[in-house]
Short mmCIF file of all heavy atoms in Angstrom, two decimals:
data_model
loop_
_atom_site.label_atom_id
_atom_site.label_comp_id
_atom_site.label_asym_id
_atom_site.label_seq_id
_atom_site.Cartn_x
_atom_site.Cartn_y
_atom_site.Cartn_z
N ILE A 7 -0.79 -3.52 -0.85
CA ILE A 7 -2.21 -3.74 -0.88
C ILE A 7 -2.58 -4.32 -2.20
O ILE A 7 -2.05 -3.95 -3.25
CB ILE A 7 -2.99 -2.42 -0.63
CG1 ILE A 7 -4.51 -2.68 -0.53
CG2 ILE A 7 -2.69 -1.39 -1.71
CD1 ILE A 7 -5.33 -1.44 -0.09
N SER A 8 -3.52 -5.28 -2.20
CA SER A 8 -3.93 -5.94 -3.44
C SER A 8 -5.41 -6.31 -3.29
O SER A 8 -5.96 -6.29 -2.17
CB SER A 8 -3.07 -7.11 -3.80
OG SER A 8 -3.19 -8.12 -2.80
N ARG A 9 -6.04 -6.74 -4.40
CA ARG A 9 -7.39 -7.15 -4.35
C ARG A 9 -7.68 -8.27 -5.30
O ARG A 9 -7.02 -8.45 -6.33
CB ARG A 9 -8.33 -5.95 -4.70
CG ARG A 9 -8.15 -5.42 -6.12
CD ARG A 9 -8.72 -3.99 -6.25
NE ARG A 9 -10.13 -3.93 -5.90
CZ ARG A 9 -10.76 -2.82 -5.54
NH1 ARG A 9 -10.12 -1.67 -5.53
NH2 ARG A 9 -12.07 -2.85 -5.27
N ASP A 10 -8.59 -9.11 -4.92
CA ASP A 10 -9.09 -10.19 -5.76
C ASP A 10 -10.60 -10.01 -5.86
O ASP A 10 -11.38 -10.45 -4.95
CB ASP A 10 -8.75 -11.55 -5.16
CG ASP A 10 -9.10 -12.70 -6.09
OD1 ASP A 10 -9.99 -12.54 -6.98
OD2 ASP A 10 -8.50 -13.76 -6.00
N ASN A 11 -11.03 -9.34 -6.87
CA ASN A 11 -12.44 -9.00 -7.00
C ASN A 11 -13.35 -10.20 -7.12
O ASN A 11 -14.48 -10.20 -6.65
CB ASN A 11 -12.65 -8.05 -8.22
CG ASN A 11 -12.03 -6.68 -8.03
OD1 ASN A 11 -11.88 -6.22 -6.93
ND2 ASN A 11 -11.63 -6.07 -9.12
N ALA A 12 -12.83 -11.27 -7.78
CA ALA A 12 -13.60 -12.49 -7.87
C ALA A 12 -13.93 -13.15 -6.53
O ALA A 12 -14.92 -13.80 -6.37
CB ALA A 12 -12.88 -13.51 -8.75
N LYS A 13 -13.03 -12.90 -5.57
CA LYS A 13 -13.24 -13.40 -4.23
C LYS A 13 -13.76 -12.35 -3.25
O LYS A 13 -13.92 -12.63 -2.07
CB LYS A 13 -11.91 -13.99 -3.68
CG LYS A 13 -11.38 -15.17 -4.43
CD LYS A 13 -10.08 -15.70 -3.82
CE LYS A 13 -9.57 -16.90 -4.57
NZ LYS A 13 -8.30 -17.40 -3.99
N ASN A 14 -14.03 -11.18 -3.77
CA ASN A 14 -14.54 -10.04 -2.95
C ASN A 14 -13.62 -9.85 -1.72
O ASN A 14 -14.08 -9.70 -0.59
CB ASN A 14 -15.92 -10.28 -2.45
CG ASN A 14 -16.96 -9.80 -3.48
OD1 ASN A 14 -16.66 -9.04 -4.36
ND2 ASN A 14 -18.19 -10.25 -3.30
N THR A 15 -12.31 -9.88 -1.95
CA THR A 15 -11.32 -9.78 -0.85
C THR A 15 -10.22 -8.81 -1.19
O THR A 15 -9.75 -8.74 -2.32
CB THR A 15 -10.72 -11.16 -0.59
OG1 THR A 15 -11.81 -12.07 -0.24
CG2 THR A 15 -9.78 -11.13 0.57
N VAL A 16 -9.85 -8.03 -0.19
CA VAL A 16 -8.69 -7.14 -0.27
C VAL A 16 -7.68 -7.64 0.70
O VAL A 16 -8.00 -8.06 1.81
CB VAL A 16 -9.13 -5.67 0.03
CG1 VAL A 16 -7.90 -4.75 0.02
CG2 VAL A 16 -10.19 -5.18 -0.91
N TYR A 17 -6.41 -7.53 0.32
CA TYR A 17 -5.32 -8.04 1.14
C TYR A 17 -4.36 -6.94 1.50
O TYR A 17 -4.19 -5.94 0.79
CB TYR A 17 -4.53 -9.14 0.39
CG TYR A 17 -5.38 -10.34 -0.04
CD1 TYR A 17 -5.88 -10.36 -1.39
CD2 TYR A 17 -5.68 -11.33 0.83
CE1 TYR A 17 -6.62 -11.40 -1.75
CE2 TYR A 17 -6.47 -12.41 0.42
CZ TYR A 17 -6.95 -12.44 -0.90
OH TYR A 17 -7.70 -13.49 -1.26
N LEU A 18 -3.65 -7.11 2.63
CA LEU A 18 -2.56 -6.31 2.99
C LEU A 18 -1.40 -7.19 3.39
O LEU A 18 -1.44 -7.81 4.42
CB LEU A 18 -2.88 -5.30 4.14
CG LEU A 18 -1.78 -4.32 4.51
CD1 LEU A 18 -1.58 -3.29 3.35
CD2 LEU A 18 -2.11 -3.58 5.81
N GLN A 19 -0.41 -7.28 2.50
CA GLN A 19 0.79 -8.06 2.81
C GLN A 19 1.77 -7.19 3.57
O GLN A 19 2.12 -6.11 3.07
CB GLN A 19 1.43 -8.60 1.53
CG GLN A 19 2.71 -9.35 1.74
CD GLN A 19 2.49 -10.68 2.44
OE1 GLN A 19 1.57 -11.42 2.13
NE2 GLN A 19 3.32 -10.98 3.48
N MET A 20 2.13 -7.58 4.75
CA MET A 20 3.04 -6.80 5.63
C MET A 20 4.31 -7.58 5.83
O MET A 20 4.29 -8.65 6.39
CB MET A 20 2.32 -6.50 6.95
CG MET A 20 0.94 -5.81 6.78
SD MET A 20 0.23 -5.31 8.35
CE MET A 20 0.02 -6.92 9.15
N ASN A 21 5.39 -6.97 5.39
CA ASN A 21 6.73 -7.63 5.57
C ASN A 21 7.58 -6.68 6.40
O ASN A 21 7.33 -5.51 6.57
CB ASN A 21 7.38 -7.83 4.20
CG ASN A 21 6.61 -8.79 3.29
OD1 ASN A 21 6.00 -9.71 3.75
ND2 ASN A 21 6.62 -8.50 2.01
N SER A 22 8.65 -7.29 6.90
CA SER A 22 9.66 -6.51 7.72
C SER A 22 8.92 -5.74 8.82
O SER A 22 9.16 -4.53 9.03
CB SER A 22 10.45 -5.61 6.83
OG SER A 22 11.15 -6.36 5.86
N LEU A 23 8.05 -6.39 9.54
CA LEU A 23 7.24 -5.73 10.53
C LEU A 23 8.14 -5.17 11.70
O LEU A 23 9.12 -5.81 12.04
CB LEU A 23 6.19 -6.68 11.09
CG LEU A 23 5.02 -6.86 10.14
CD1 LEU A 23 4.23 -8.11 10.53
CD2 LEU A 23 4.10 -5.64 10.16
N ARG A 24 7.69 -4.03 12.21
CA ARG A 24 8.38 -3.36 13.27
C ARG A 24 7.43 -3.21 14.44
O ARG A 24 6.20 -3.17 14.24
CB ARG A 24 8.84 -2.00 12.79
CG ARG A 24 9.70 -1.98 11.57
CD ARG A 24 9.85 -0.62 10.98
NE ARG A 24 10.67 -0.63 9.79
CZ ARG A 24 10.79 0.43 8.94
NH1 ARG A 24 10.13 1.57 9.23
NH2 ARG A 24 11.58 0.32 7.89
N PRO A 25 7.93 -3.03 15.68
CA PRO A 25 7.02 -2.80 16.83
C PRO A 25 6.11 -1.60 16.57
O PRO A 25 4.94 -1.62 17.12
CB PRO A 25 8.01 -2.55 17.99
CG PRO A 25 9.22 -3.39 17.61
CD PRO A 25 9.32 -3.21 16.10
N GLU A 26 6.53 -0.60 15.89
CA GLU A 26 5.71 0.56 15.63
C GLU A 26 4.52 0.26 14.74
O GLU A 26 3.63 1.13 14.63
CB GLU A 26 6.57 1.67 15.02
CG GLU A 26 7.11 1.37 13.69
CD GLU A 26 8.30 2.20 13.27
OE1 GLU A 26 9.38 2.09 13.90
OE2 GLU A 26 8.17 2.96 12.28
N ASP A 27 4.50 -0.89 14.12
CA ASP A 27 3.36 -1.32 13.32
C ASP A 27 2.23 -1.86 14.15
O ASP A 27 1.13 -2.15 13.65
CB ASP A 27 3.79 -2.36 12.28
CG ASP A 27 4.78 -1.81 11.27
OD1 ASP A 27 4.57 -0.67 10.81
OD2 ASP A 27 5.67 -2.55 10.89
N THR A 28 2.49 -2.04 15.47
CA THR A 28 1.47 -2.60 16.35
C THR A 28 0.22 -1.67 16.37
O THR A 28 0.35 -0.51 16.70
CB THR A 28 2.00 -2.76 17.75
OG1 THR A 28 3.06 -3.73 17.73
CG2 THR A 28 0.94 -3.22 18.74
N ALA A 29 -0.93 -2.20 16.07
CA ALA A 29 -2.15 -1.44 15.98
C ALA A 29 -3.30 -2.39 15.66
O ALA A 29 -3.11 -3.55 15.35
CB ALA A 29 -2.07 -0.35 14.93
N VAL A 30 -4.49 -1.86 15.75
CA VAL A 30 -5.67 -2.48 15.17
C VAL A 30 -5.82 -2.04 13.73
O VAL A 30 -5.81 -0.82 13.48
CB VAL A 30 -6.97 -2.19 15.97
CG1 VAL A 30 -8.16 -2.86 15.33
CG2 VAL A 30 -6.80 -2.66 17.44
N TYR A 31 -5.88 -2.96 12.84
CA TYR A 31 -5.99 -2.63 11.42
C TYR A 31 -7.40 -2.81 10.91
O TYR A 31 -8.08 -3.81 11.19
CB TYR A 31 -5.06 -3.59 10.60
CG TYR A 31 -3.62 -3.15 10.75
CD1 TYR A 31 -2.91 -3.38 11.93
CD2 TYR A 31 -2.92 -2.61 9.67
CE1 TYR A 31 -1.60 -2.93 12.02
CE2 TYR A 31 -1.60 -2.19 9.80
CZ TYR A 31 -0.93 -2.38 10.97
OH TYR A 31 0.35 -2.01 11.11
N TYR A 32 -7.89 -1.82 10.21
CA TYR A 32 -9.26 -1.78 9.68
C TYR A 32 -9.34 -1.71 8.21
O TYR A 32 -8.58 -0.98 7.57
CB TYR A 32 -9.98 -0.51 10.26
CG TYR A 32 -10.09 -0.47 11.74
CD1 TYR A 32 -9.12 0.18 12.54
CD2 TYR A 32 -11.18 -0.99 12.43
CE1 TYR A 32 -9.23 0.25 13.90
CE2 TYR A 32 -11.31 -0.91 13.77
CZ TYR A 32 -10.32 -0.31 14.53
OH TYR A 32 -10.45 -0.22 15.88
N CYS A 33 -10.26 -2.43 7.70
CA CYS A 33 -10.58 -2.39 6.23
C CYS A 33 -11.66 -1.37 5.98
O CYS A 33 -12.59 -1.20 6.85
CB CYS A 33 -11.00 -3.76 5.79
SG CYS A 33 -11.41 -3.90 4.01
N HIS A 34 -11.57 -0.66 4.90
CA HIS A 34 -12.51 0.43 4.58
C HIS A 34 -12.86 0.40 3.14
O HIS A 34 -12.03 0.30 2.24
CB HIS A 34 -11.90 1.75 4.96
CG HIS A 34 -12.77 2.93 4.69
ND1 HIS A 34 -13.92 3.14 5.32
CD2 HIS A 34 -12.53 4.00 3.85
CE1 HIS A 34 -14.45 4.32 4.92
NE2 HIS A 34 -13.64 4.86 3.98
N ARG A 35 -14.17 0.56 2.86
CA ARG A 35 -14.66 0.81 1.47
C ARG A 35 -15.11 2.22 1.41
O ARG A 35 -16.01 2.64 2.14
CB ARG A 35 -15.80 -0.17 1.08
CG ARG A 35 -16.03 -0.18 -0.42
CD ARG A 35 -17.25 -1.00 -0.85
NE ARG A 35 -18.46 -0.16 -0.88
CZ ARG A 35 -19.61 -0.61 -1.35
NH1 ARG A 35 -19.76 -1.84 -1.78
NH2 ARG A 35 -20.69 0.26 -1.35
N GLU A 36 -14.51 2.99 0.52
CA GLU A 36 -14.79 4.38 0.47
C GLU A 36 -16.22 4.66 0.05
O GLU A 36 -16.85 5.54 0.67
CB GLU A 36 -13.82 5.14 -0.49
CG GLU A 36 -12.36 5.15 0.04
CD GLU A 36 -11.45 5.96 -0.86
OE1 GLU A 36 -11.92 6.51 -1.89
OE2 GLU A 36 -10.28 6.04 -0.49
N ALA A 37 -16.75 3.98 -0.93
CA ALA A 37 -18.13 4.15 -1.36
C ALA A 37 -19.02 3.63 -0.24
O ALA A 37 -19.03 2.44 0.10
CB ALA A 37 -18.40 3.45 -2.64
#
């Protein structure tokens, strides 16, 4: 997980993906 605050963007780099990773992925701001 990483963030670029200047671009107001959060990233999730996913490598070596497995079938068990299949899902709907959601972004969340805690505040």
Side-chain angles (χ1 to χ4, degrees):
I7 187 171
S8 62
R9 64 198 302 161
D10 186 336
N11 293 331
K13 296 181 179 179
N14 274 344
T15 302
V16 178
Y17 303 96
L18 184 68
Q19 178 66 46
M20 305 186 296
N21 298 325
S22 301
L23 283 163
R24 306 166 180 170
E26 65 200 65
D27 296 319
T28 295
V30 177
Y31 284 71
Y32 298 91
C33 181
H34 178 64
R35 196 185 90 172
E36 291 185 0

